[in-house]
Each structure stands twice: as structure tokens, then as C-alpha cells.
Amino acid sequence: EAGVVQSPRYKIIEKKQPVAFWCNPISGHNTLYWYLQNLGQGPELLIRYENEEAVDDSQLPKDRFSAERLKGVDSTLKIQPAELGDSAVYLCASRGGGTDTQYFGPGTRLTVL
Amino acid sequence: AQSVTQPDIHITVSEGASLELRCNYSYGATPYLFWYVQSPGQGLQLLLKYFSGDTLVQGIKGFEAEFKRSQSSFNLRKPSVHWSDAAEYFCAVAKLRDDKIIFGKGTRLHILP
């Protein structure tokens, strides 16, 4: 069974540029999470989807961050414009199929110059 | 609010030695507790979890953890570490079984040959 797929794995951009990250969850998983992991820190939840509905986006900085999961499967997280402080790893996780476990993808490492 | 404290940022042990990683949580009721491992460039992998029942939990890769309510602790142990165990370990807590997970800052484990 394929795991959570994320792309790109690495992204380097200049500040003020837009950037997008893509996540494809494990097949059949209805719940999808985006986490932000700063260097030397644990992941912090940005947004949680149940199917196509964002049920917890309280930690998402909505002035520059947006996310969508239009068909309830894959998801895109966007930053526009990016700031230096956005340099971090962006992790996607999914849960479903009767399990309580969140399965994480490898993450996208973003560097903003 | 829930929180997780991992008091050791780095731990170094010799290969074959025993290991204990400390974790303390703050939460009023019985929490749901997790240990994840993150190898360089990899996503987080669940080692074990505690929801209820037996307070000594067995996980993958020979790890175990013990929930001690009186000490608000959920320490991770392994009787004999292998060089491949070198990674970052995260303790985490959730309020509900399918709620967002709050992660500690992690403990980086180094293995001496």
C-alpha cells in the first residue's frame, strides 16, 4: 500500500514569491492534516480536513496561507507571498480506514531566501 | 491547554545499551499518548500509542512505553539500541482519539559504535 505522497520534496524560493505544496493521502483516508515543523521543533497543526471540509483551521495564518481539498482526496497548501520565517518543513498526514493512527508523508522542505 | 515536555534535547548512548527517553504531559483528563520517530529526510513514523488499558505499551522496533498517571509521564524505553535507532523522537498527546496531536520538541538520539 502506498503511503502519503508529498511533492515537491524540496523548494527554494525568494521572499514574496508564491509557493504551493501538494499532498496525496493514503487511499480511502478521509481525514487529512497539514503540519508545520520548524527547525528543532515538533510539528504543529495548520489545518485538518474531513473529506473536503476544513474542520479545524484555527492555526492557519489566513492572511498568506490557503489550503484546499476540492474532491476530498488530494490537497494543496499555498503560501502567497512567502516570508523568510516560512522556511520550514511542511508535513501532510492522513487517517482513515477505521484506524486512529495518523500516517505522515516525508514532508516538503521550504527555504525562503 | 495540553502540552508535552521532552526535557532532553539530545541523548547519546552506546550501541547495545539500554535507552529511556523522558516525556511529561500536561492535561487534566486521561490523554491519548503517542511516540513518533523521525529519521533524517523522512516523515514521522508511529512507534506506539496509549489510549487505555494496560499502562505498559509495546510498539514496533522493540520499543515500549509506560504510562504513569501519578507522574504525568509516558517514557519510552528500549533494552538494547541499534545504530539504526539514531533519529529524532517525538512524544505527543491528543485530547480525543481523533483529535489534533500536540507534539513535544523532540529528543535527538545519537548512537555510539
Short mmCIF file of all heavy atoms in Angstrom, two decimals, chain B residues 1-68:
data_model
loop_
_atom_site.label_atom_id
_atom_site.label_comp_id
_atom_site.label_asym_id
_atom_site.label_seq_id
_atom_site.Cartn_x
_atom_site.Cartn_y
_atom_site.Cartn_z
N ALA B 1 -4.66 24.02 28.71
CA ALA B 1 -4.22 23.59 27.39
C ALA B 1 -3.25 22.42 27.52
O ALA B 1 -2.52 22.31 28.50
CB ALA B 1 -3.53 24.75 26.66
N GLN B 2 -3.31 21.58 26.53
CA GLN B 2 -2.40 20.44 26.55
C GLN B 2 -0.99 20.87 26.20
O GLN B 2 -0.80 21.79 25.40
CB GLN B 2 -2.84 19.40 25.52
CG GLN B 2 -4.28 18.97 25.61
CD GLN B 2 -4.74 18.39 24.30
OE1 GLN B 2 -4.37 17.29 23.93
NE2 GLN B 2 -5.53 19.13 23.57
N SER B 3 -0.02 20.20 26.78
CA SER B 3 1.37 20.44 26.40
C SER B 3 2.18 19.19 26.66
O SER B 3 1.78 18.32 27.44
CB SER B 3 1.97 21.62 27.18
OG SER B 3 2.06 21.31 28.55
N VAL B 4 3.31 19.12 25.99
CA VAL B 4 4.21 17.98 26.13
C VAL B 4 5.62 18.51 26.35
O VAL B 4 6.06 19.40 25.62
CB VAL B 4 4.19 17.10 24.87
CG1 VAL B 4 5.18 15.96 25.01
CG2 VAL B 4 2.79 16.56 24.63
N THR B 5 6.30 17.96 27.32
CA THR B 5 7.68 18.35 27.62
C THR B 5 8.60 17.16 27.44
O THR B 5 8.40 16.11 28.06
CB THR B 5 7.81 18.89 29.05
OG1 THR B 5 6.95 20.01 29.22
CG2 THR B 5 9.25 19.32 29.32
N GLN B 6 9.59 17.34 26.61
CA GLN B 6 10.67 16.36 26.48
C GLN B 6 11.92 17.05 26.99
O GLN B 6 12.49 17.89 26.31
CB GLN B 6 10.82 15.92 25.03
CG GLN B 6 9.61 15.14 24.51
CD GLN B 6 9.77 14.69 23.09
OE1 GLN B 6 9.10 15.17 22.19
NE2 GLN B 6 10.67 13.74 22.88
N PRO B 7 12.35 16.74 28.20
CA PRO B 7 13.40 17.53 28.85
C PRO B 7 14.79 17.37 28.23
O PRO B 7 15.64 18.24 28.42
CB PRO B 7 13.38 17.02 30.29
CG PRO B 7 12.72 15.68 30.22
CD PRO B 7 11.78 15.73 29.08
N ASP B 8 15.00 16.30 27.50
CA ASP B 8 16.31 16.06 26.90
C ASP B 8 16.29 16.38 25.42
O ASP B 8 15.56 15.75 24.66
CB ASP B 8 16.73 14.59 27.10
CG ASP B 8 16.73 14.21 28.57
OD1 ASP B 8 17.42 14.90 29.34
OD2 ASP B 8 16.03 13.25 28.94
N ILE B 9 17.10 17.37 25.01
CA ILE B 9 17.16 17.73 23.59
C ILE B 9 17.99 16.71 22.83
O ILE B 9 17.66 16.32 21.71
CB ILE B 9 17.75 19.14 23.43
CG1 ILE B 9 16.87 20.17 24.13
CG2 ILE B 9 17.90 19.49 21.96
CD1 ILE B 9 17.45 21.55 24.14
N HIS B 10 19.10 16.29 23.44
CA HIS B 10 19.98 15.28 22.84
C HIS B 10 20.25 14.20 23.88
O HIS B 10 20.41 14.50 25.07
CB HIS B 10 21.32 15.89 22.42
CG HIS B 10 21.22 16.87 21.31
ND1 HIS B 10 21.27 16.51 19.98
CD2 HIS B 10 21.06 18.22 21.34
CE1 HIS B 10 21.16 17.61 19.24
NE2 HIS B 10 21.03 18.64 20.02
N ILE B 11 20.35 12.96 23.40
CA ILE B 11 20.78 11.85 24.24
C ILE B 11 21.73 11.00 23.42
O ILE B 11 21.48 10.74 22.24
CB ILE B 11 19.58 11.01 24.71
CG1 ILE B 11 18.82 11.75 25.79
CG2 ILE B 11 20.04 9.64 25.18
CD1 ILE B 11 18.26 10.91 26.89
N THR B 12 22.84 10.60 24.05
CA THR B 12 23.82 9.74 23.40
C THR B 12 23.97 8.46 24.21
O THR B 12 24.21 8.52 25.41
CB THR B 12 25.18 10.44 23.27
OG1 THR B 12 25.03 11.66 22.53
CG2 THR B 12 26.18 9.54 22.56
N VAL B 13 23.83 7.34 23.53
CA VAL B 13 24.03 6.04 24.17
C VAL B 13 24.88 5.16 23.27
O VAL B 13 24.95 5.37 22.05
CB VAL B 13 22.70 5.33 24.48
CG1 VAL B 13 21.87 6.14 25.44
CG2 VAL B 13 21.95 5.03 23.21
N SER B 14 25.53 4.19 23.87
CA SER B 14 26.34 3.25 23.11
C SER B 14 25.45 2.16 22.52
O SER B 14 24.43 1.79 23.11
CB SER B 14 27.41 2.62 23.99
OG SER B 14 28.30 3.60 24.48
N GLU B 15 25.85 1.67 21.37
CA GLU B 15 25.09 0.59 20.75
C GLU B 15 25.05 -0.61 21.69
O GLU B 15 26.08 -0.97 22.28
CB GLU B 15 25.72 0.18 19.41
CG GLU B 15 24.86 -0.78 18.60
CD GLU B 15 25.37 -0.96 17.19
OE1 GLU B 15 26.53 -0.61 16.93
OE2 GLU B 15 24.60 -1.45 16.35
N GLY B 16 23.88 -1.17 21.86
CA GLY B 16 23.70 -2.30 22.76
C GLY B 16 23.26 -1.90 24.16
O GLY B 16 22.80 -2.74 24.93
N ALA B 17 23.39 -0.62 24.48
CA ALA B 17 22.97 -0.15 25.80
C ALA B 17 21.46 0.06 25.82
O ALA B 17 20.80 0.14 24.79
CB ALA B 17 23.69 1.15 26.14
N SER B 18 20.94 0.19 27.03
CA SER B 18 19.50 0.44 27.18
C SER B 18 19.22 1.93 27.00
O SER B 18 20.11 2.78 27.12
CB SER B 18 19.02 -0.03 28.55
OG SER B 18 19.67 0.72 29.57
N LEU B 19 17.96 2.22 26.72
CA LEU B 19 17.57 3.59 26.41
C LEU B 19 16.28 3.94 27.15
O LEU B 19 15.37 3.12 27.24
CB LEU B 19 17.33 3.74 24.92
CG LEU B 19 16.68 5.05 24.44
CD1 LEU B 19 17.67 6.20 24.59
CD2 LEU B 19 16.20 4.92 23.00
N GLU B 20 16.22 5.16 27.67
CA GLU B 20 14.97 5.70 28.17
C GLU B 20 14.87 7.16 27.78
O GLU B 20 15.74 7.96 28.10
CB GLU B 20 14.83 5.56 29.69
CG GLU B 20 13.47 6.05 30.20
CD GLU B 20 13.20 5.71 31.64
OE1 GLU B 20 14.16 5.64 32.43
OE2 GLU B 20 12.02 5.49 31.99
N LEU B 21 13.82 7.51 27.06
CA LEU B 21 13.54 8.89 26.67
C LEU B 21 12.36 9.38 27.49
O LEU B 21 11.31 8.74 27.54
CB LEU B 21 13.23 8.98 25.17
CG LEU B 21 14.31 8.49 24.22
CD1 LEU B 21 13.88 8.70 22.77
CD2 LEU B 21 15.63 9.18 24.49
N ARG B 22 12.52 10.55 28.08
CA ARG B 22 11.53 11.06 29.00
C ARG B 22 10.48 11.92 28.31
O ARG B 22 10.80 12.65 27.37
CB ARG B 22 12.20 11.85 30.12
CG ARG B 22 13.12 11.00 30.99
CD ARG B 22 13.69 11.84 32.11
NE ARG B 22 14.62 12.84 31.65
CZ ARG B 22 15.03 13.87 32.38
NH1 ARG B 22 14.54 14.05 33.60
NH2 ARG B 22 15.91 14.72 31.88
N CYS B 23 9.27 11.83 28.82
CA CYS B 23 8.17 12.63 28.30
C CYS B 23 7.21 12.92 29.44
O CYS B 23 6.76 12.00 30.13
CB CYS B 23 7.45 11.90 27.18
SG CYS B 23 5.94 12.72 26.62
N ASN B 24 6.88 14.19 29.62
CA ASN B 24 5.86 14.59 30.58
C ASN B 24 4.79 15.39 29.84
O ASN B 24 5.09 16.16 28.94
CB ASN B 24 6.46 15.44 31.70
CG ASN B 24 7.39 14.63 32.57
OD1 ASN B 24 8.60 14.62 32.38
ND2 ASN B 24 6.82 13.90 33.52
N TYR B 25 3.57 15.18 30.23
CA TYR B 25 2.47 15.86 29.55
C TYR B 25 1.66 16.64 30.57
O TYR B 25 1.71 16.38 31.78
CB TYR B 25 1.58 14.85 28.82
CG TYR B 25 0.87 13.91 29.76
CD1 TYR B 25 -0.37 14.24 30.29
CD2 TYR B 25 1.46 12.71 30.16
CE1 TYR B 25 -1.00 13.40 31.18
CE2 TYR B 25 0.84 11.87 31.05
CZ TYR B 25 -0.39 12.22 31.57
OH TYR B 25 -1.01 11.40 32.46
N SER B 26 0.93 17.59 30.05
CA SER B 26 0.03 18.38 30.88
C SER B 26 -1.35 18.31 30.27
O SER B 26 -1.55 18.76 29.13
CB SER B 26 0.50 19.83 30.96
OG SER B 26 -0.45 20.63 31.63
N TYR B 27 -2.26 17.67 31.01
CA TYR B 27 -3.64 17.57 30.54
C TYR B 27 -4.49 17.10 31.70
O TYR B 27 -4.06 16.23 32.45
CB TYR B 27 -3.75 16.63 29.34
CG TYR B 27 -5.15 16.52 28.81
CD1 TYR B 27 -5.82 17.66 28.35
CD2 TYR B 27 -5.82 15.31 28.76
CE1 TYR B 27 -7.11 17.59 27.89
CE2 TYR B 27 -7.11 15.23 28.30
CZ TYR B 27 -7.76 16.36 27.86
OH TYR B 27 -9.04 16.29 27.39
N GLY B 28 -5.67 17.64 31.85
CA GLY B 28 -6.50 17.36 33.00
C GLY B 28 -7.05 15.96 33.06
O GLY B 28 -7.09 15.34 34.11
N ALA B 29 -7.47 15.46 31.93
CA ALA B 29 -8.09 14.13 31.92
C ALA B 29 -7.07 13.11 31.39
O ALA B 29 -5.91 13.41 31.23
CB ALA B 29 -9.32 14.15 31.05
N THR B 30 -7.53 11.90 31.18
CA THR B 30 -6.64 10.90 30.61
C THR B 30 -6.39 11.21 29.16
O THR B 30 -7.33 11.26 28.36
CB THR B 30 -7.25 9.50 30.74
OG1 THR B 30 -7.46 9.22 32.12
CG2 THR B 30 -6.31 8.46 30.15
N PRO B 31 -5.15 11.44 28.81
CA PRO B 31 -4.86 11.82 27.43
C PRO B 31 -4.64 10.60 26.55
O PRO B 31 -4.53 9.49 27.04
CB PRO B 31 -3.56 12.60 27.58
CG PRO B 31 -2.86 11.88 28.71
CD PRO B 31 -3.96 11.42 29.64
N TYR B 32 -4.60 10.85 25.28
CA TYR B 32 -4.14 9.85 24.33
C TYR B 32 -2.68 10.19 24.04
O TYR B 32 -2.36 11.33 23.72
CB TYR B 32 -5.00 9.88 23.08
CG TYR B 32 -6.42 9.49 23.38
CD1 TYR B 32 -7.41 10.46 23.58
CD2 TYR B 32 -6.79 8.16 23.51
CE1 TYR B 32 -8.71 10.10 23.89
CE2 TYR B 32 -8.08 7.80 23.82
CZ TYR B 32 -9.04 8.77 24.01
OH TYR B 32 -10.33 8.42 24.32
N LEU B 33 -1.80 9.24 24.16
CA LEU B 33 -0.36 9.48 24.12
C LEU B 33 0.30 8.70 23.00
O LEU B 33 -0.10 7.57 22.71
CB LEU B 33 0.28 9.11 25.46
CG LEU B 33 -0.18 9.96 26.64
CD1 LEU B 33 0.10 9.26 27.95
CD2 LEU B 33 0.49 11.32 26.59
N PHE B 34 1.32 9.30 22.41
CA PHE B 34 1.99 8.71 21.25
C PHE B 34 3.50 8.94 21.36
O PHE B 34 3.96 9.91 21.95
CB PHE B 34 1.53 9.39 19.94
CG PHE B 34 0.04 9.48 19.77
CD1 PHE B 34 -0.67 10.51 20.36
CD2 PHE B 34 -0.64 8.56 18.99
CE1 PHE B 34 -2.05 10.62 20.19
CE2 PHE B 34 -2.01 8.66 18.81
CZ PHE B 34 -2.71 9.69 19.41
N TRP B 35 4.23 8.05 20.73
CA TRP B 35 5.64 8.28 20.42
C TRP B 35 5.83 8.06 18.92
O TRP B 35 5.41 7.05 18.37
CB TRP B 35 6.55 7.31 21.18
CG TRP B 35 6.92 7.78 22.56
CD1 TRP B 35 6.38 7.37 23.73
CD2 TRP B 35 7.95 8.72 22.89
NE1 TRP B 35 6.99 8.01 24.78
CE2 TRP B 35 7.96 8.84 24.30
CE3 TRP B 35 8.87 9.46 22.16
CZ2 TRP B 35 8.84 9.67 24.98
CZ3 TRP B 35 9.75 10.29 22.83
CH2 TRP B 35 9.74 10.39 24.23
N TYR B 36 6.46 9.08 18.30
CA TYR B 36 6.79 9.01 16.88
C TYR B 36 8.30 9.09 16.74
O TYR B 36 8.99 9.71 17.55
CB TYR B 36 6.18 10.17 16.11
CG TYR B 36 4.71 10.04 15.77
CD1 TYR B 36 3.72 10.40 16.69
CD2 TYR B 36 4.30 9.56 14.52
CE1 TYR B 36 2.38 10.29 16.38
CE2 TYR B 36 2.96 9.46 14.20
CZ TYR B 36 2.01 9.83 15.12
OH TYR B 36 0.68 9.72 14.80
N VAL B 37 8.83 8.52 15.65
CA VAL B 37 10.24 8.64 15.33
C VAL B 37 10.37 9.27 13.94
O VAL B 37 9.56 9.00 13.05
CB VAL B 37 10.94 7.26 15.37
CG1 VAL B 37 10.34 6.28 14.36
CG2 VAL B 37 12.44 7.40 15.13
N GLN B 38 11.37 10.12 13.81
CA GLN B 38 11.62 10.79 12.53
C GLN B 38 13.09 10.65 12.17
O GLN B 38 13.95 11.19 12.85
CB GLN B 38 11.24 12.27 12.62
CG GLN B 38 11.31 13.01 11.29
CD GLN B 38 10.84 14.44 11.42
OE1 GLN B 38 11.06 15.11 12.43
NE2 GLN B 38 10.15 14.95 10.40
N SER B 39 13.35 9.91 11.11
CA SER B 39 14.72 9.79 10.60
C SER B 39 14.97 10.92 9.62
O SER B 39 14.02 11.47 9.06
CB SER B 39 14.90 8.43 9.93
OG SER B 39 14.70 7.38 10.87
N PRO B 40 16.24 11.27 9.40
CA PRO B 40 16.55 12.40 8.52
C PRO B 40 15.89 12.27 7.16
O PRO B 40 16.01 11.25 6.49
CB PRO B 40 18.09 12.34 8.43
CG PRO B 40 18.51 11.69 9.70
CD PRO B 40 17.44 10.69 10.03
N GLY B 41 15.19 13.32 6.78
CA GLY B 41 14.54 13.34 5.47
C GLY B 41 13.31 12.47 5.37
O GLY B 41 12.76 12.32 4.27
N GLN B 42 12.88 11.92 6.48
CA GLN B 42 11.71 11.04 6.48
C GLN B 42 10.55 11.67 7.25
O GLN B 42 10.74 12.57 8.06
CB GLN B 42 12.06 9.69 7.12
CG GLN B 42 13.22 8.99 6.48
CD GLN B 42 12.93 8.57 5.06
OE1 GLN B 42 11.88 8.01 4.78
NE2 GLN B 42 13.85 8.85 4.15
N GLY B 43 9.38 11.17 6.96
CA GLY B 43 8.22 11.59 7.74
C GLY B 43 8.22 10.92 9.09
O GLY B 43 9.09 10.11 9.40
N LEU B 44 7.25 11.25 9.89
CA LEU B 44 7.14 10.65 11.21
C LEU B 44 6.49 9.28 11.13
O LEU B 44 5.52 9.09 10.42
CB LEU B 44 6.31 11.54 12.14
CG LEU B 44 6.99 12.81 12.61
CD1 LEU B 44 6.71 13.95 11.68
CD2 LEU B 44 6.53 13.15 14.02
N GLN B 45 7.06 8.37 11.89
CA GLN B 45 6.51 7.02 11.95
C GLN B 45 6.06 6.74 13.37
O GLN B 45 6.80 6.99 14.33
CB GLN B 45 7.57 5.99 11.54
CG GLN B 45 7.06 4.56 11.54
CD GLN B 45 8.14 3.56 11.16
OE1 GLN B 45 9.33 3.81 11.29
NE2 GLN B 45 7.72 2.41 10.68
N LEU B 46 4.85 6.21 13.51
CA LEU B 46 4.32 5.91 14.83
C LEU B 46 5.03 4.69 15.42
O LEU B 46 5.07 3.63 14.79
CB LEU B 46 2.82 5.64 14.75
CG LEU B 46 2.13 5.34 16.08
CD1 LEU B 46 2.12 6.57 16.97
CD2 LEU B 46 0.71 4.83 15.83
N LEU B 47 5.59 4.86 16.62
CA LEU B 47 6.22 3.73 17.33
C LEU B 47 5.20 2.99 18.18
O LEU B 47 5.18 1.77 18.21
CB LEU B 47 7.34 4.23 18.23
CG LEU B 47 8.63 4.70 17.58
CD1 LEU B 47 9.57 5.26 18.64
CD2 LEU B 47 9.29 3.56 16.82
N LEU B 48 4.39 3.75 18.90
CA LEU B 48 3.39 3.16 19.77
C LEU B 48 2.43 4.24 20.23
O LEU B 48 2.69 5.43 20.07
CB LEU B 48 4.04 2.46 20.97
CG LEU B 48 5.11 3.22 21.74
CD1 LEU B 48 4.55 4.23 22.70
CD2 LEU B 48 6.02 2.24 22.51
N LYS B 49 1.31 3.77 20.81
CA LYS B 49 0.31 4.71 21.29
C LYS B 49 -0.39 4.11 22.51
O LYS B 49 -0.45 2.89 22.67
CB LYS B 49 -0.72 5.00 20.21
CG LYS B 49 -1.46 3.77 19.70
CD LYS B 49 -2.31 4.10 18.49
CE LYS B 49 -2.98 2.83 17.95
NZ LYS B 49 -3.72 3.07 16.68
N TYR B 50 -0.90 4.99 23.36
CA TYR B 50 -1.66 4.58 24.52
C TYR B 50 -3.01 5.30 24.50
O TYR B 50 -3.06 6.54 24.47
CB TYR B 50 -0.92 4.90 25.82
CG TYR B 50 -1.77 4.65 27.04
CD1 TYR B 50 -1.98 3.35 27.50
CD2 TYR B 50 -2.40 5.69 27.70
CE1 TYR B 50 -2.78 3.11 28.60
CE2 TYR B 50 -3.20 5.46 28.81
CZ TYR B 50 -3.39 4.17 29.24
OH TYR B 50 -4.19 3.92 30.32
N PHE B 51 -4.06 4.51 24.54
CA PHE B 51 -5.40 5.08 24.64
C PHE B 51 -6.05 4.72 25.96
O PHE B 51 -6.68 5.53 26.61
CB PHE B 51 -6.27 4.62 23.47
CG PHE B 51 -5.91 5.24 22.15
CD1 PHE B 51 -6.33 4.65 20.96
CD2 PHE B 51 -5.16 6.40 22.07
CE1 PHE B 51 -6.00 5.22 19.73
CE2 PHE B 51 -4.83 6.97 20.85
CZ PHE B 51 -5.26 6.38 19.68
N SER B 52 -5.91 3.45 26.35
CA SER B 52 -6.50 2.99 27.60
C SER B 52 -5.96 1.59 27.87
O SER B 52 -5.23 1.03 27.06
CB SER B 52 -8.03 2.95 27.51
OG SER B 52 -8.44 2.02 26.53
N GLY B 53 -6.33 1.04 29.03
CA GLY B 53 -5.95 -0.34 29.34
C GLY B 53 -4.59 -0.46 29.96
O GLY B 53 -4.16 0.41 30.74
N ASP B 54 -3.89 -1.50 29.61
CA ASP B 54 -2.57 -1.79 30.17
C ASP B 54 -1.65 -0.60 30.00
O ASP B 54 -1.48 -0.08 28.90
CB ASP B 54 -1.98 -3.02 29.48
CG ASP B 54 -0.75 -3.56 30.19
OD1 ASP B 54 -0.20 -2.85 31.07
OD2 ASP B 54 -0.33 -4.68 29.88
N THR B 55 -1.04 -0.18 31.09
CA THR B 55 -0.22 1.04 31.04
C THR B 55 1.15 0.81 30.43
O THR B 55 1.87 1.77 30.16
CB THR B 55 -0.05 1.63 32.45
OG1 THR B 55 0.52 0.62 33.30
CG2 THR B 55 -1.40 2.07 33.01
N LEU B 56 1.53 -0.42 30.22
CA LEU B 56 2.78 -0.73 29.53
C LEU B 56 2.43 -1.11 28.10
O LEU B 56 1.75 -2.10 27.85
CB LEU B 56 3.52 -1.87 30.22
CG LEU B 56 4.90 -2.21 29.66
CD1 LEU B 56 5.85 -1.03 29.78
CD2 LEU B 56 5.48 -3.44 30.36
N VAL B 57 2.92 -0.30 27.18
CA VAL B 57 2.54 -0.45 25.77
C VAL B 57 3.73 -0.92 24.95
O VAL B 57 4.82 -0.36 25.08
CB VAL B 57 2.04 0.90 25.21
CG1 VAL B 57 1.61 0.74 23.77
CG2 VAL B 57 0.90 1.45 26.05
N GLN B 58 3.51 -1.92 24.15
CA GLN B 58 4.56 -2.41 23.26
C GLN B 58 4.40 -1.79 21.88
O GLN B 58 3.27 -1.60 21.41
CB GLN B 58 4.48 -3.93 23.15
CG GLN B 58 4.62 -4.66 24.48
CD GLN B 58 5.96 -4.43 25.14
OE1 GLN B 58 6.99 -4.41 24.48
NE2 GLN B 58 5.94 -4.24 26.47
N GLY B 59 5.51 -1.44 21.28
CA GLY B 59 5.46 -0.85 19.96
C GLY B 59 6.32 -1.60 18.97
O GLY B 59 6.77 -2.71 19.22
N ILE B 60 6.57 -0.94 17.86
CA ILE B 60 7.41 -1.54 16.83
C ILE B 60 8.88 -1.35 17.16
O ILE B 60 9.23 -0.52 18.02
CB ILE B 60 7.09 -0.95 15.45
CG1 ILE B 60 7.39 0.55 15.41
CG2 ILE B 60 5.63 -1.22 15.07
CD1 ILE B 60 7.31 1.15 14.01
N LYS B 61 9.72 -2.09 16.49
CA LYS B 61 11.18 -1.97 16.59
C LYS B 61 11.70 -2.23 18.00
O LYS B 61 12.77 -1.75 18.36
CB LYS B 61 11.65 -0.59 16.11
CG LYS B 61 11.23 -0.25 14.70
CD LYS B 61 11.83 1.08 14.26
CE LYS B 61 11.41 1.40 12.84
NZ LYS B 61 12.05 2.62 12.31
N GLY B 62 10.94 -2.96 18.81
CA GLY B 62 11.40 -3.31 20.15
C GLY B 62 11.22 -2.24 21.20
O GLY B 62 11.74 -2.36 22.31
N PHE B 63 10.49 -1.19 20.89
CA PHE B 63 10.25 -0.12 21.84
C PHE B 63 9.03 -0.42 22.71
O PHE B 63 8.09 -1.10 22.29
CB PHE B 63 10.03 1.22 21.12
CG PHE B 63 11.28 1.81 20.57
CD1 PHE B 63 11.68 1.55 19.26
CD2 PHE B 63 12.07 2.64 21.35
CE1 PHE B 63 12.85 2.10 18.74
CE2 PHE B 63 13.24 3.20 20.84
CZ PHE B 63 13.63 2.93 19.54
N GLU B 64 9.05 0.13 23.92
CA GLU B 64 7.91 0.09 24.80
C GLU B 64 7.82 1.41 25.55
O GLU B 64 8.79 2.17 25.62
CB GLU B 64 8.00 -1.07 25.80
CG GLU B 64 9.13 -0.93 26.81
CD GLU B 64 9.12 -2.06 27.82
OE1 GLU B 64 8.63 -3.17 27.52
OE2 GLU B 64 9.63 -1.82 28.95
N ALA B 65 6.64 1.69 26.09
CA ALA B 65 6.46 2.91 26.87
C ALA B 65 5.50 2.61 28.01
O ALA B 65 4.63 1.75 27.89
CB ALA B 65 5.92 4.05 26.01
N GLU B 66 5.68 3.33 29.09
CA GLU B 66 4.83 3.12 30.26
C GLU B 66 4.13 4.41 30.65
O GLU B 66 4.77 5.44 30.84
CB GLU B 66 5.66 2.61 31.45
CG GLU B 66 4.79 2.23 32.65
CD GLU B 66 5.55 1.53 33.73
OE1 GLU B 66 6.81 1.53 33.68
OE2 GLU B 66 4.91 0.98 34.66
N PHE B 67 2.82 4.34 30.74
CA PHE B 67 2.00 5.47 31.16
C PHE B 67 1.92 5.47 32.68
O PHE B 67 1.48 4.49 33.27
CB PHE B 67 0.60 5.35 30.55
CG PHE B 67 -0.40 6.32 31.10
CD1 PHE B 67 -0.18 7.69 31.00
CD2 PHE B 67 -1.57 5.89 31.71
CE1 PHE B 67 -1.10 8.59 31.49
CE2 PHE B 67 -2.50 6.78 32.20
CZ PHE B 67 -2.27 8.14 32.10
N LYS B 68 2.35 6.58 33.28
CA LYS B 68 2.26 6.73 34.74
C LYS B 68 1.45 7.99 35.04
O LYS B 68 1.96 9.12 34.95
CB LYS B 68 3.65 6.83 35.36
CG LYS B 68 4.46 5.53 35.26
CD LYS B 68 5.77 5.64 36.01
CE LYS B 68 6.52 4.32 35.98
NZ LYS B 68 7.82 4.39 36.72
#
